[in-house]
């Protein structure tokens, strides 16, 4: 279900209200009784950020965001207030936010938190229905341009969450490619999909090797957003890992707490599709291309095996020591393919390693980079603003030694330590341009509710990428 964000210029006595204010705000025009006003004053003195007034025919929430010295933390606090408010309003059809304080940034952050928290995935539920909250209205000071932008961002995060939450039974590599095509039609970017025959002609040995154990064919999707007045001639390229289901291949995963969650292994692809949707829908004047290599990874009589040597799109020979280290193989072909565009910058996103997830949990994104120090610093800054934060790993040359092979150019496993880093080093071999690697294995999917990110697919990374691209103008 879509959560709508709209502007409303009038207030009725039946509107559920959220009043954004401070202790000095005049609330007398909202028909509070003396006892209600007294209660509000007392609660504000006790530093209550959300004060609930039940007037029977409607709910009123007086919201007084606490002051924070750190502007980024203040914005995140406002989003979390939105999450709390949504929990109290999910059974209501609509709510009107009134900006008494005249602080549009706070209002937008609270709205963002509410809308993101309102997401539910009930596609395969026969009885459970989505939350009843359909519309969040913004009053008076709301800017239509800001509302439209936020609506497109929310829709894009919902899109990513839907893709990541969808089980493999309903999302094969072809389905994922088709979802990218539909997203392009809805938002304005162009989509080209390569079939297995085309992938074979391009000698994408990594993607083809991982696909050998599957009964479904792989796809390679190219999404292109090239506005007429783009501010960059060379594109920024986003690459997303599209392993729609990962058994580990012949290096079979254990089922509990591992294989049972592997429908989420296309989280990088889902994030990239969502980001492209936001970029195009908001008519961002930046030339962006996204690449998504997609397949499932399964064991069969024809599956690639530990000890195999495969040849990648750029001719590099790779010794496969573990078929569960498959994501880096499909990404490597995409990173090699990206060279043809002579990109300004490439950012790849992948649910790549358990090591990254164990390093930072679901609280942040593990990052590495080469030749993109300034770009990474800017991305990290945006991460603090969106609270989709980067945890940078060391990328010393010492780690290069760990992926050298005795029988091929490199191997796809680096050893018992620094797993997230050696996976990054493997990818770096195929990038000869400014490059940033984001390992989103931790935050892509959570088993317990994580604030406004909810439970299940979080969509983390969409807002980060959109704001990063937007701020390049």
């Amino acid at each position: 279900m879509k959560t709508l964000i709209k502007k409303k210029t009038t207030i009725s006595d039946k509107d559920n209200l959220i009043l954004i204010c401070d202790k000095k705000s005049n609330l007398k025009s909202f028909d509070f009784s003396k006892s209600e006003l007294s209660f509000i004053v007392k609660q504000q003195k006790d530093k209550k950020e959300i004060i609930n007034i039940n007037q029977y025919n409607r709910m009123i929430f007086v919201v007084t965001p606490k002051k924070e010295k750190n502007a980024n933390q203040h914005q995140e606090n406002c989003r979390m207030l939105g999450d709390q408010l949504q929990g109290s309003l999910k059974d209501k059809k609509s709510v009107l936010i009134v900006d008494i304080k005249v602080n549009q940034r706070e209002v937008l952050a609270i709205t963002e938190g509410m809308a993101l928290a309102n997401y539910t995935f009930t596609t395969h539920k026969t009885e459970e229905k989505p939350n009843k909250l359909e519309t969040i209205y913004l009053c008076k000071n709301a800017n239509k341009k800001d509302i439209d932008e936020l609506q497109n961002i929310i829709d894009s995060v919902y899109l990513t969450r839907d893709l990541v939450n969808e089980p493999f039974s309903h999302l094969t590599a072809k389905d994922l490619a088709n979802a990218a095509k539909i997203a392009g039609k809805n938002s304005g970017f162009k989509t080209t999909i390569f079939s297995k025959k085309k992938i074979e002609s391009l000698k994408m040995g990594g993607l083809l090797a991982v696909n050998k154990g599957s009964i479904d064919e792989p796809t390679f999707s190219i999404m292109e957003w090239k506005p007429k007045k783009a501010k960059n001639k060379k594109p920024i390229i986003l690459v997303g890992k599209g392993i729609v289901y990962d058994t580990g291949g012949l290096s079979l995963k254990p089922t509990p707490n591992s294989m049972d969650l592997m429908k989420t292994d296309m989280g990088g692809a889902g994030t990239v599709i969502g980001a492209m949707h936001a970029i195009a829908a908001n008519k961002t004047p930046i030339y962006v291309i996204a690449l998504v290599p997609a397949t499932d990874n399964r064991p069969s009589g024809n599956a690639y095996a530990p000890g195999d040597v495969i040849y990648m799109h750029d001719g590099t020979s790779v010794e496969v020591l573990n078929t569960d280290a498959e994501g880096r193989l499909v990404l490597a072909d995409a990173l090699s393919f990206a060279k043809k565009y002579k990109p300004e910058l490439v950012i790849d996103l992948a649910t790549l390693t358990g090591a990254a997830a164990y390093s930072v949990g679901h609280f942040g994104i593990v990052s590495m980079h080469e030749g993109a120090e300034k770009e990474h610093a800017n991305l990290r800054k945006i991460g603090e603003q969106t609270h989709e934060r980067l945890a940078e790993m060391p990328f010393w040359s010492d780690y290069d030694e760990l992926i050298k092979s005795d029988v091929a150019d490199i191997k796809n496993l680096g050893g018992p330590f620094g797993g997230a880093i050696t996976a990054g080093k493997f990818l770096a071999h195929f990038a000869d341009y400014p490059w940033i690697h984001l390992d989103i294995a931790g935050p892509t999917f959570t088993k317990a509710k994580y604030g406004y990110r909810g439970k299940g697919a979080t969509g983390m990374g969409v807002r980060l990428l959109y704001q990063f691209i937007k701020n390049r103008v």
Side-chain angles (χ1 to χ4, degrees), residues 92-282:
K92 306 296 181 182
K93 193 171 183 179
S94 65
V95 65
L96 172 61
I97 300 180
V98 183
D99 183 11
I100 303 171
K101 192 177 178 182
V102 193
N103 189 321
Q104 185 74 348
R105 287 196 69 197
E106 285 186 351
V107 170
L108 289 171
I110 289 170
T111 304
E112 183 178 37
M114 284 187 69
L116 289 174
N118 199 47
Y119 171 87
T120 54
F121 185 73
T122 57
T123 304
H124 305 292
K125 293 276 190 179
T126 55
E127 294 182 5
E128 186 178 331
K129 295 181 180 179
N131 295 324
K132 291 181 180 178
L133 183 61
E134 295 178 357
T135 310
I136 302 170
Y137 290 104
L138 303 187
C139 190
K140 293 182 180 180
N141 299 309
N143 181 292
K144 188 179 184 305
K145 185 179 178 182
D146 290 338
I147 292 175
D148 290 344
E149 179 185 33
L150 182 56
Q151 181 72 71
N152 288 328
I153 293 170
I154 298 301
D155 291 348
S156 300
V157 174
Y158 275 32
L159 168 61
T160 294
R161 289 178 178 178
D162 282 345
L163 290 172
V164 177
N165 280 324
E166 194 69 76
F168 175 51
S169 56
H170 291 72
L171 192 74
T172 64
K174 287 186 177 180
D175 293 326
L176 183 63
N178 190 50
K181 192 171 185 177
I182 293 170
K185 286 182 178 179
N186 291 338
S187 62
F189 63 78
K190 175 187 174 183
T191 308
T192 303
I193 301 169
F194 290 166
S195 65
K196 183 177 182 179
K197 187 175 181 180
K198 177 66 174 177
I199 293 167
E200 287 174 335
S201 72
L202 292 169
K203 298 181 179 180
M204 291 185 172
L207 179 54
L208 291 168
V210 178
N211 180 250
K212 282 182 71 176
S214 176
I215 60 172
D216 299 317
E217 292 192 353
T219 59
F220 190 92
S221 299
I222 304 170
M223 292 161 271
E224 185 175 17
W225 169 247
K226 191 174 184 180
K228 290 182 180 179
K229 295 183 179 179
K231 303 211 177 266
N232 55 322
K233 291 183 179 180
K234 295 181 179 180
I236 296 171
I237 296 182
L238 307 177
V239 179
K241 172 186 168 184
I243 301 295
V244 289
Y245 190 77
D246 182 21
T247 66
L250 291 178
S251 304
L252 199 66
K253 293 177 182 287
T255 297
N257 301 312
S258 182
M259 200 193 300
D260 52 345
L261 294 176
M262 284 301 104
K263 67 176 184 178
T264 69
D265 210 21
M266 39 61 65
T271 304
V272 163
I273 293 169
M276 287 297 290
H277 184 275
I279 290 162
N282 284 320

Side-chain angles (χ1 to χ4, degrees), residues 233-458:
K233 291 183 179 180
K234 295 181 179 180
I236 296 171
I237 296 182
L238 307 177
V239 179
K241 172 186 168 184
I243 301 295
V244 289
Y245 190 77
D246 182 21
T247 66
L250 291 178
S251 304
L252 199 66
K253 293 177 182 287
T255 297
N257 301 312
S258 182
M259 200 193 300
D260 52 345
L261 294 176
M262 284 301 104
K263 67 176 184 178
T264 69
D265 210 21
M266 39 61 65
T271 304
V272 163
I273 293 169
M276 287 297 290
H277 184 275
I279 290 162
N282 284 320
K283 304 292 185 287
T284 311
I286 301 293
Y287 179 22
V288 188
I289 292 173
L291 307 175
V292 171
T295 181
D296 56 296
N297 181 30
R298 288 193 173 195
S300 81
N302 196 42
Y304 76 131
D308 282 357
V309 172
I310 62 175
Y311 285 82
M312 310 299 287
H313 172 63
D314 72 346
T316 297
S317 61
V318 174
E319 179 186 13
V320 177
L321 293 182
N322 188 322
T323 63
D324 193 25
E326 86 299 327
R328 65 201 69 181
L329 298 179
V330 303
L331 284 172
D333 279 339
L335 291 172
S336 296
F337 185 80
K339 294 175 184 177
K340 66 176 283 188
Y341 297 103
K342 295 180 171 53
E344 184 177 291
L345 172 69
V346 174
I347 304 175
D348 77 69
L349 293 93
T351 51
L352 203 60
T353 65
Y358 285 121
S359 295
V360 297
H362 60 268
F363 303 106
I365 298 168
V366 166
S367 69
M368 286 151 257
H369 61 92
E370 278 196 347
E373 187 169 346
K374 185 178 178 181
E375 300 280 17
H376 183 269
N378 289 335
L379 187 64
R380 190 167 189 165
K381 181 180 177 182
I382 298 296
E384 294 296 328
Q385 292 170 1
T386 59
H387 210 74
E388 299 192 343
R389 298 164 294 180
L390 304 188
E392 184 180 357
M393 289 289 181
F395 216 49
W396 304 314
S397 59
D398 308 56
Y399 292 104
D400 292 319
E401 298 297 317
L402 301 181
I403 62 167
K404 287 184 177 179
S405 167
D406 292 335
V407 299
D409 296 329
I410 54 175
K411 56 188 179 182
N412 78 330
L413 209 62
F417 50 84
I421 301 169
T422 53
K425 281 294 185 180
F426 182 91
L427 297 178
H429 176 88
F430 300 90
D432 64 355
Y433 36 67
W435 165 78
I436 297 173
H437 167 53
L438 301 179
D439 193 328
I440 58 173
T444 291
F445 190 93
T446 61
K447 291 184 177 181
K449 187 178 185 301
Y450 179 30
Y452 56 84
R453 296 168 182 85
K455 179 181 179 180
T458 65

